[in-house]
Amino acid sequence: MDQIRVIDVKESVLADNDREADRTREALKKQGTYFLNVMSSPGSGKTTTLRRLIRDLSPKFKFGVMEADIDGDVDARAMQEDNVKTIQLHTGGMCHLDAGMAGRGLSEIGTKDLDCVVLENIGNLVCPAEFDTGASGNLTILSVPEGSDKPLKYPLMFQVCEAMVINKIDVLPYFDFDFDKVREYALMRNPDLQIFPVSAKTGEGFEALEAWLSRKILDWKKA
């Protein structure tokens, strides 16, 4: 009996995706537009964090936002209240965006006049981390109510990101959240991870986060 041929379809799909992602990065690099991919679980405060971050940095940079959801446009409408150039991306049931989907969104929003495009990815700590969107950088948000163990349970998310925001520090007194442990677990996955404790509600901690993103945008333009 002939040996059965086994073809790794996932590997092929990811390789094609990575090539498209590299083309996206190269094109955005030439025009000086920084592309930030923001990932987290549902309810971590992505939209609230991004609204405050963009409001504070808008005097320095021009932003565009791509809101990705399985359905609905609640987050996109919230962004538009701040007069931010925004489009809604629907994934049709898929739990992540790949490079092709992100590329289509970038074409639709138009990036030539933007300093930074932010993708608010699907709320999920697993699938979005598996696909390179072509972003210049990846950031994840972990909220205090989620607990300190998430870097242990979802290692890839923390490996592919260069920054982690710990949001909702204003509710620390009400939850059993160990800062030392979450830092230890996250740096175990990624020793170079930048960590920013913040409260999107009060604004505490945003100065350091805003300085980090400003440097990223400016460095992308210079390099």
Side-chain angles (χ1 to χ4, degrees), residues 155 158-163 183-195:
F158 300 88
Q159 289 166 5
V160 303
C161 288
E162 55 190 287
R183 186 181 297 273
E184 175 189 343
Y185 298 152
L187 294 178
M188 182 191 309
R189 300 305 187 189
N190 182 354
D192 298 321
L193 191 69
Q194 300 290 304
I195 301 174

Side-chain angles (χ1 to χ4, degrees), residues 39-215:
M39 300 176 283
S40 76
S41 60
S44 66
K46 284 194 299 298
T47 305
T48 307
T49 300
L50 290 174
R51 289 184 72 182
R52 181 178 285 274
L53 188 59
I54 291 171
R55 279 198 303 266
D56 290 350
L57 291 179
S58 286
K60 295 170 60 177
F61 305 109
K62 189 167 184 180
F63 286 88
V65 176
M66 302 190 297
E67 292 287 352
D69 288 292
I70 292 174
D71 203 353
D73 61 359
V74 175
D75 294 338
R77 289 183 181 276
M79 278 293 172
Q80 285 185 330
E81 290 178 7
D82 294 334
N83 297 314
V84 180
K85 188 176 185 181
T86 307
I87 62 169
Q88 179 72 57
L89 305 177
H90 283 166
T91 63
M94 297 183 69
C95 60
H96 67 274
L97 262 71
D98 60 22
M101 298 173 192
R104 181 177 177 187
L106 291 166
S107 296
E108 291 293 332
I109 197 171
T111 58
K112 289 185 179 180
D113 63 336
L114 300 178
D115 297 303
C116 180
V117 178
V118 180
L119 168 62
E120 184 175 344
N121 216 315
I122 299 290
N124 188 321
L125 285 176
V126 182
C127 304
E130 296 181 346
F131 288 84
D132 188 345
T133 59
S136 316
N138 296 317
L139 177 147
T140 188
I141 299 177
L142 173 67
S143 65
V144 166
E146 294 174 72
S148 314
D149 58 355
K150 294 303 175 287
L152 294 180
K153 294 182 175 182
Y154 307 101
L156 185 61
M157 176 60 70
F158 300 88
Q159 289 166 5
V160 303
C161 288
E162 55 190 287
M164 174 178 72
V165 171
I166 302 176
N167 190 27
K168 304 186 183 181
I169 60 173
D170 52 294
V171 298
L172 271 171
Y174 309 103
F175 290 90
D176 183 17
F177 186 89
D178 190 324
F179 258 111
D180 291 335
K181 283 298 182 183
V182 77
R183 186 181 297 273
E184 175 189 343
Y185 298 152
L187 294 178
M188 182 191 309
R189 300 305 187 189
N190 182 354
D192 298 321
L193 191 69
Q194 300 290 304
I195 301 174
F196 301 98
V198 307
S199 168
K201 181 177 180 179
T202 68
E204 183 180 356
F206 266 76
E207 186 175 344
L209 178 60
E210 289 162 8
W212 173 83
L213 182 55
S214 295
R215 287 194 302 272

